[in-house]
Amino acid sequence: MQIILAGKEISRYALKIGADCSLAENRAAAELQRYLKKLTGKSLPIVTEGRESVIVFCVNEDDEYDDGFLVTAEDTGLRLEAHNGRGIRYAVYAFLEYLGCRFFSQPFSFRGVERGDYMEAEERIPTEGEVRIEKNFRLERSPALYYRDAFTFAVTDEEWFVKFGLNAETWGLHRLGAESGGGHRFAGDSGHTFYRLLPQKEYYASHPEYYAETEGKRMKNPDGDPLHEPQPCLTNGELPGLVTEKLRGLLKSRGDAKFVSVSQNDNTLFCQCEACKKSYGKYGYFGTLLRFVNKVARALGREYPDVKIHTYAYGPTTDIDESVTAEDNVMVQFCPRPCHVHSLTDPRCRANAEIRKRLETLGKVCKNIFIYDYRSCLKYALLMLPDIHALRENMRCYAENHVKGIYSEMNIFSSMQPVMEELRAYLFSKLTWNPYMTEEEYEGHIDEFLEGFYGAGWRYVRKYLDYWESECAEAHVDSFHASQLDEAGEFLRDENGKLIQAELFPKEKVREVTGKCLSLLDEAERRTDSRRRERVRILRAGVLWYKLFHTMKEVLEQGKEDEKAAAIEENRELCSLMRRYCMKYTTYIGMQPTTDMYRDFTLPPSEWNYRGPDAEDRSAFNKNLA
């Protein structure tokens, strides 16, 4: 490729950094040098002085939250300018994208025993053609969200995390070093922190009144499991001071952290003492929690004015109203359980309309709104959720409601899943910078990725994606367990009272829909190159799983012998794909999954062990809370 910058061939320029520049600026120059050589075949020198024709790197270090950047052409060459070290790295990759580069996916992060070139990183580096950059060139971008994180095995590598424009270390899966410009990090855990701030093993013996009461008794953790640790008594006047002291210690030990969490434990064990029940009646669960957090925020804010005090609106505390206003240094992370078939703005979906209403209310009482975005099915890791087309509208909805940060929780405990995780991560990252992109732009990103990642057969992968999502359009499915919802947003149950799960379209259409999907993926596999063929085969596992989950048990009970044999053989193929590509069938935390299906191919996927250690239905308890 020939690149003409301000009338000169780019090989006549040098990359200029300051003699005392940061590690991020140094790395930015090295990255631009490396990729320009791939593009043009020529390596530009990196200098600290001299040279008339230069590409200059400049970091102002004036705003650690603003990752925006500006790239301009000048008489002497090109200038890349940013507010912090992350921004200068983002500037390099944005400029390379302007030149035609694309950064689709990192190397596969979990290899197991499998090897293959299909696991390599996927980039597009054009080497033909000409690009002219005139003196009026200007490339300026600033992300819509200042806190951007994705917890997924599709983006674990630090270099690729920066290429994707992400910047946060929510649960410590990523550690962004000085070369990346650092990352947004918490002092201590980033959520569910009451059990660490007020551990029962430290306080219960002398102060049982610190903890939740039920039926007149203070609850005690039966086994020490954090999931079983009762919530604190939020109306106890001593606890805000104790929590504040704990946070002071955390912030002293992590001086680079700008966030600290005061958030409920991961359960619904809230206090039912008279004082708390009175507070719930007046302020709600969310308001009661926020009053507690406000007290901590006021005390801590005097010493740490730049630190955000984080809390959740999660489970029972999503009963958001306008009764309590958050302090300016409080950050509320809303944890919705949306329908995964429709966008938050889709008028057909009452469940999502309720979420949007609560989000709008939260914007009236809090200046710092973050989202905890569930983007995968916690129970059925092999389930291809039909929400890729809805993602753009959801991100726009968040931005329009003044959301400032988002943590996207994808397939967090499984890798190489058949759910287009790489595409989801790529699109999510683009939308954290520009949720206002047009539908045409968004569809263009999808097509570019599919062509780059799946190769020559990509159009059939696109047809599979579009067909799958169109066939699911009438369902309403929640984001945790893929539980089916009715038109009013209530969970649906079968004749035995069990939740109906993983049902995206009527059962009578399963063979028709999965048959067409498998046919499209077969065609994609036939047309693509050998390196990318394995990636298409990974998608096949998801379709097989869905088909067998809904049909195999009935076939084995009522089908003819040849039908039974065919179902068992397809199940054998599914299990073979799962073992080869190290797929998990569930992502429940701490679950001990069985391997029975690998020894007995007559075991239908609907009979596999999908229930985790804390997966019981809590709807009755939650109704009592309401």
Side-chain angles (χ1 to χ4, degrees):
M1 171 183 281
Q2 188 175 31
I3 303 172
I4 307 299
L5 172 58
K8 300 178 184 177
E9 213 282 329
I10 202 166
S11 61
R12 297 175 60 182
Y13 290 82
L15 304 169
K16 190 172 184 178
I17 57 177
D20 58 349
C21 73
S22 67
L23 289 175
E25 289 170 272
N26 197 309
R27 181 60 182 274
E31 280 289 89
L32 186 55
Q33 180 190 55
R34 182 165 71 96
Y35 277 101
L36 286 176
K37 185 174 182 181
K38 289 183 178 183
L39 288 163
T40 68
K42 299 170 184 177
S43 183
L44 278 62
I46 298 177
V47 301
T48 58
E49 58 184 19
R51 299 294 293 263
E52 293 182 358
S53 299
V54 291
I55 298 174
V56 177
F57 297 81
C58 177
V59 176
N60 298 318
E61 297 290 359
D62 59 352
D63 192 338
E64 63 182 302
Y65 290 109
D66 187 352
D67 292 342
F69 57 82
L70 175 63
V71 183
T72 53
E74 303 174 336
D75 290 338
T76 56
L78 199 69
R79 182 179 180 84
L80 291 83
E81 189 171 359
H83 298 284
N84 58 46
R86 289 189 302 272
I88 203 70
R89 292 287 304 275
Y90 300 146
V92 167
Y93 296 123
F95 178 63
L96 289 170
E97 286 192 331
Y98 174 82
L99 296 178
C101 296
R102 295 293 182 270
F103 309 104
F104 295 124
S105 69
Q106 68 169 39
F108 280 50
S109 59
F110 181 75
R111 293 178 178 268
V113 296
E114 177 70 1
R115 296 290 184 271
D117 56 4
Y118 73 94
M119 292 181 171
E120 295 175 356
E122 194 63 61
E123 301 179 326
R124 187 179 80 189
I125 311 295
T127 56
E128 303 294 331
E130 179 184 275
V131 176
R132 287 186 170 271
I133 301 170
E134 305 299 340
K135 292 181 181 180
N136 61 351
F137 175 80
R138 183 182 181 91
L139 176 62
E140 184 175 15
R141 290 181 190 165
S142 186
L145 306 179
Y146 74 73
Y147 186 105
R148 308 176 299 281
D149 195 6
F151 196 167
T152 166
F153 277 91
V155 194
T156 56
D157 182 85
E158 179 180 335
E159 179 181 321
W160 278 86
F161 203 69
V162 179
K163 284 180 178 176
F164 272 31
L166 303 175
N167 68 358
E169 304 173 357
T170 307
W171 290 108
L173 182 64
H174 318 97
R175 299 307 271 174
L176 299 177
E179 288 189 339
S180 301
H184 292 313
R185 56 181 61 107
F186 280 74
D189 287 350
S190 58
H192 300 310
T193 59
F194 273 142
Y195 83 96
R196 290 194 183 277
L197 298 172
L198 298 167
Q200 280 207 350
K201 63 182 179 181
E202 184 175 347
Y203 296 111
Y204 188 86
S206 57
H207 292 283
E209 72 276 10
Y210 286 175
Y211 302 97
E213 176 185 304
T214 181
E215 297 180 351
K217 296 181 180 180
R218 296 291 170 174
M219 285 187 275
K220 188 174 183 180
N221 190 333
D223 53 16
D225 188 328
L227 293 173
H228 302 150
E229 186 94 348
Q231 309 291 344
C233 177
L234 294 173
T235 56
N236 186 298
E238 296 180 27
L239 297 187
L242 281 175
V243 169
T244 300
E245 283 302 311
K246 288 287 182 72
L247 297 182
R248 285 193 181 104
L250 286 173
L251 289 167
K252 286 178 182 178
S253 65
R254 289 297 304 271
D256 57 346
K258 296 299 181 184
F259 302 89
V260 67
S261 182
V262 183
S263 50
Q264 66 207 64
N265 297 326
D266 197 2
N267 58 52
T268 56
L269 303 176
F270 279 81
C271 186
Q272 300 299 316
C273 74
E274 289 305 315
C276 282
K277 286 195 291 187
K278 183 178 179 181
S279 182
Y280 302 150
K282 186 174 183 179
Y283 305 111
Y285 280 83
F286 174 72
T288 299
L289 173 63
L290 189 55
R291 280 165 57 84
F292 184 100
V293 173
N294 277 344
K295 293 175 183 177
V296 176
R298 284 193 289 270
L300 209 60
R302 290 189 286 270
E303 302 169 60
Y304 297 94
D306 296 329
V307 171
K308 298 288 189 297
I309 314 303
H310 163 274
T311 196
Y312 281 147
Y314 175 69
T317 58
T318 57
D319 61 336
I320 302 164
D321 62 22
E322 298 181 48
S323 59
V324 182
T325 299
E327 293 289 323
D328 287 351
N329 60 334
V330 168
M331 178 181 95
V332 176
Q333 189 166 29
F334 182 31
C335 309
R337 288 180 62 170
C339 166
H340 259 305
V341 180
H342 304 100
S343 71
L344 293 173
T345 58
D346 193 322
R348 294 174 294 178
C349 188
R350 288 178 62 182
N352 284 353
E354 176 60 28
I355 288 172
R356 190 175 70 253
K357 179 182 176 182
R358 295 186 185 193
L359 177 63
E360 291 169 352
T361 303
L362 181 58
K364 298 176 182 178
V365 300
C366 181
K367 293 183 177 179
N368 303 294
I369 305 174
F370 277 34
I371 297 294
Y372 198 119
D373 193 32
Y374 302 99
R375 296 237 58 84
S376 67
C377 180
L378 183 64
K379 188 169 185 177
Y380 305 110
L382 297 167
L383 180 64
M384 173 73 170
L385 290 169
D387 61 353
I388 290 175
H389 287 105
L391 180 58
R392 181 182 72 97
E393 287 299 320
N394 285 348
M395 294 293 285
R396 181 186 296 245
C397 178
Y398 290 141
E400 289 176 346
N401 282 280
H402 314 296
V403 168
K404 296 181 179 179
I406 189 165
Y407 161 77
S408 184
E409 188 168 277
M410 301 186 198
N411 263 313
I412 54 176
F413 297 109
S414 54
S415 59
M416 297 172 74
Q417 295 303 114
V419 296
M420 292 191 169
E421 187 82 342
E422 295 84 5
L423 172 63
R424 293 174 189 274
Y426 183 78
L427 295 174
F428 166 77
S429 302
K430 295 290 185 188
L431 288 164
T432 61
W433 282 72
N434 180 20
Y436 300 105
M437 68 176 66
T438 65
E439 183 176 0
E440 183 180 9
E441 289 176 289
Y442 187 64
E443 295 297 322
H445 284 309
I446 294 176
D447 286 348
E448 280 194 329
F449 180 92
L450 295 180
E451 182 177 10
F453 192 75
Y454 293 107
W458 74 271
R459 286 184 174 82
Y460 289 90
V461 177
R462 177 69 202 244
K463 289 179 180 179
Y464 154 69
L465 170 62
D466 292 343
Y467 176 67
W468 180 259
E469 297 212 347
S470 67
E471 287 298 318
C472 300
E474 299 305 316
H476 299 275
V477 177
D478 96 303
S479 59
F480 268 25
H481 306 137
S483 300
Q484 200 170 43
L485 307 168
D486 63 17
E487 293 295 334
E490 300 293 329
F491 289 124
L492 289 173
R493 297 176 183 273
D494 62 18
E495 62 276 9
N496 299 315
K498 292 184 178 181
L499 292 171
I500 299 174
Q501 296 178 323
E503 191 171 305
L504 301 178
F505 41 82
K507 286 188 177 181
E508 59 267 21
K509 296 191 68 175
V510 169
R511 287 184 175 84
E512 173 192 345
V513 174
T514 57
K516 182 170 181 179
C517 289
L518 290 171
S519 176
L520 290 169
L521 293 177
D522 286 344
E523 192 62 33
E525 190 176 335
R526 279 193 291 270
R527 289 172 179 263
T528 200
D529 57 276
S530 59
R531 185 169 73 85
R532 296 177 175 89
R533 196 167 293 143
E534 299 286 349
R535 298 173 182 171
V536 179
R537 288 189 60 76
I538 288 173
L539 297 180
R540 183 179 177 84
V543 181
L544 283 172
W545 176 86
Y546 190 88
K547 175 183 179 181
L548 296 169
F549 183 91
H550 289 289
T551 64
M552 185 174 176
K553 184 178 181 180
E554 182 180 349
V555 168
L556 294 183
E557 291 174 350
Q558 304 175 19
K560 299 177 182 179
E561 291 305 312
D562 61 334
E563 292 173 332
K564 295 178 182 178
I568 292 170
E569 189 56 35
E570 281 193 317
N571 200 26
R572 184 191 301 272
E573 180 188 357
L574 168 61
C575 293
S576 175
L577 289 170
M578 289 172 60
R579 294 200 77 165
R580 178 173 183 179
Y581 299 118
C582 304
M583 295 180 188
K584 293 183 180 180
Y585 60 85
T586 183
T587 60
Y588 269 133
I589 303 169
M591 180 178 178
Q592 298 297 318
T594 66
T595 56
D596 292 346
M597 73 287 293
Y598 298 140
R599 297 188 295 270
D600 179 8
F601 299 116
T602 66
L603 184 66
S606 58
E607 299 296 310
W608 296 353
N609 175 29
Y610 296 100
R611 294 187 66 80
D614 195 45
E616 67 273 6
D617 177 28
R618 300 196 186 100
S619 59
F621 187 81
N622 288 336
K623 286 179 181 178
N624 290 335
L625 291 181

